[in-house]
Amino acid sequence: MIIGLISDIHQNGQNENKVLEISLKNMAKNGATALIMAGDIGDEHSRREKAFSIINDCFPQEFHNAMMLMLGNHDVRTGVRPDKSLDPDLVNLYHDYLDKFGIHYYDNTMCIDTWFNDYHVLCLNTDQGLKDSMFLIATSLAWLKEKLAEDSDIHKPIIVVTHQSFNSSHWRAGLFGGFGEQDEILKELFNHYPQIILLNGHIHNGLGVIEFIQRPFGTLVEIPSLTKSENGVKSAGTGWLIKTSQETFVFEAWDFFNDKRLNQYDQAINFPQLSVLTQELTDAEKSAPQDLLAKASVLMNKQYLDDMPDGDSTVKGQSDYGINKIYDEDTWIDIEALRHEIIDYLDEENSISSP
């Protein structure tokens, strides 16, 4: 399966129309049979409606029920009610298009989910129209707990889509208040599902600045803005094609607008993820080797000492501030080496314990 992955369309005029139309057509031409769009459709109601209509017209109809389309902070901040509930016109527009696409939604939460073949895909739309962060009401948290457990298998990735990134993760993750007050609550919940692949947009880091982040609760992947990346590769039309298999998810970097591969920015998530192997190591019957667990802890908990050196005005990439990436190519080489060490150890333990 090939999944197209874009975010932050910010559809505000003819230029964004053209970028979205051509990018979707090229994405499908290059094999995408599913689509994830991680929010910030447009700043005005009419602009969002236009973007949805372009998706409807330009992404192949036979794959419409294999889509995960979410709302971002720019979508929900307008028309908010005094109790912070979302603009009914926005909710109705969103649900109308989900109906057209054949995507199921629920009465008691803005969150939605679907299955892309064997992969459960969960979308955590905010229930409250906060300006920059997000918040899930109690029924949404209950829904999330139930859905994470649904047909869960530690060796089968769960794809979770949020608009905002978790705090203390990606470069500039803390911009404008960061994820929101439920950051630690969700991290604690996700710790029970280390097979999670967490996708987010919002920050507008471009390819070359974007990093894949390893955490004990899964692997975090940022999506560039389709039209407004602020550093790295700034050209319009950037996104990912995820090529899935049982062994790996390959994230191919693309300039969809110009139908151009940017393979120097490709990255793969190999399975089982380090987070999964560490949990299996911890759960092993015999005492887990502390050196492997210590190495894993270091590699899964790297953080920037300051991911916003200019505060909310931080726009440039890490290198402009003389800061090294925390998950650069060398770190991922170390992660791969440790993965194989743990796999070898677990295989040896299993062979000894087998009759």
Side-chain angles (χ1 to χ4, degrees), residues 75-94:
D75 303 312
V76 304
R77 63 169 56 162
T78 54
V80 181
R81 298 303 181 88
D83 64 354
K84 297 181 181 179
S85 60
L86 305 186
D87 180 358
D89 289 339
L90 170 67
V91 175
N92 290 336
L93 173 68
Y94 184 55

Side-chain angles (χ1 to χ4, degrees), residues 50 55 66 97 101 141 158 161 186 188 248 279 283 302 347 352:
K50 179 61 178 176
I55 294 171
Y97 271 95
F101 298 139
L141 288 172
I158 301 171
V161 191
L186 293 189
E188 179 59 33
T248 186
Q279 180 163 309
D283 293 342
K302 289 189 168 192
D347 285 347
I352 292 173

